[in-house]
């Protein structure tokens, strides 16, 4: 089943591009991006992950902006899912754009990943 997109591709890629340019200019510039731009970039890349890795076995949480379910496997229906990935917006955007590697993010504690399927390294980066 295809992911239902809520963010238009042109709006999503524009927001991701703004994030990437701001990160290249320095961390302070990225943090100064409007909240709406950061939210659009995060949500767009979560939708992209769900599109590329369809399924419901892993829940990826990027509070306060979004969440998606992805990766084929056993489905969960209630309570806390057995496979969860959680991170902040800046880390998610760095992972999804290739500025940060999965192992480094998990090793440094910037990503909390639990469960046997909660390894997103095969699907990252999503954009460059």
């Amino acid at each position: 089943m295809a992911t239902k997109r809520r963010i238009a591709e042109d709006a999503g890629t524009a927001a991701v591009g703004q994030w990437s340019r701001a990160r290249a200019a320095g961390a302070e510039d990225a943090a100064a991006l409007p909240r709406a731009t950061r939210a659009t970039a995060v949500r767009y890349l979560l939708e992209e992950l769900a599109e590329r890795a369809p399924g419901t076995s892993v829940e990826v949480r990027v509070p306060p902006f979004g969440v998606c379910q992805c990766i084929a496997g056993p489905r969960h229906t209630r309570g806390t899912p057995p496979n969860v990935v959680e991170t902040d917006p800046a880390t998610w955007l760095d992972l999804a754009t290739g500025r940060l590697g999965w192992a480094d993010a998990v090793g440094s504690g910037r990503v909390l990943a639990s469960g046997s399927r909660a390894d997103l390294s095969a699907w990252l980066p999503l954009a460059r």
Side-chain angles (χ1 to χ4, degrees):
M1 183 170 117
T3 302
K4 182 178 178 185
R5 292 279 191 167
R6 293 183 179 183
I7 297 173
E9 186 173 355
D10 58 341
T13 56
V16 171
Q18 287 178 350
W19 168 263
S20 294
R21 287 187 295 279
R23 285 301 269 175
E28 299 80 25
D29 292 336
L33 279 176
R35 187 178 198 280
T37 301
R38 288 181 286 132
T40 298
V42 166
R43 291 174 184 143
Y44 176 74
L45 290 170
L46 285 170
E47 289 176 359
E48 188 65 22
L49 176 62
E51 179 88 10
R52 292 186 189 185
T56 58
S57 70
V58 178
E59 187 167 286
V60 180
R61 301 171 179 169
V62 186
F65 296 134
V67 64
C68 79
Q69 290 188 345
C70 58
I71 304 176
R75 178 186 167 116
H76 94 279
T77 56
R78 290 198 281 200
T80 301
N83 301 287
V84 176
V85 173
E86 188 164 346
T87 190
D88 62 274
T91 300
W92 170 246
L93 291 169
D94 283 349
L95 282 166
T97 59
R99 293 183 64 84
L100 178 63
W102 177 257
D104 290 337
V106 172
S108 66
R110 293 177 64 188
V111 168
L112 301 175
S114 63
S116 61
R117 296 176 180 270
D119 181 347
L120 303 181
S121 59
W123 291 278
L124 296 173
L126 298 165
R128 291 206 180 257

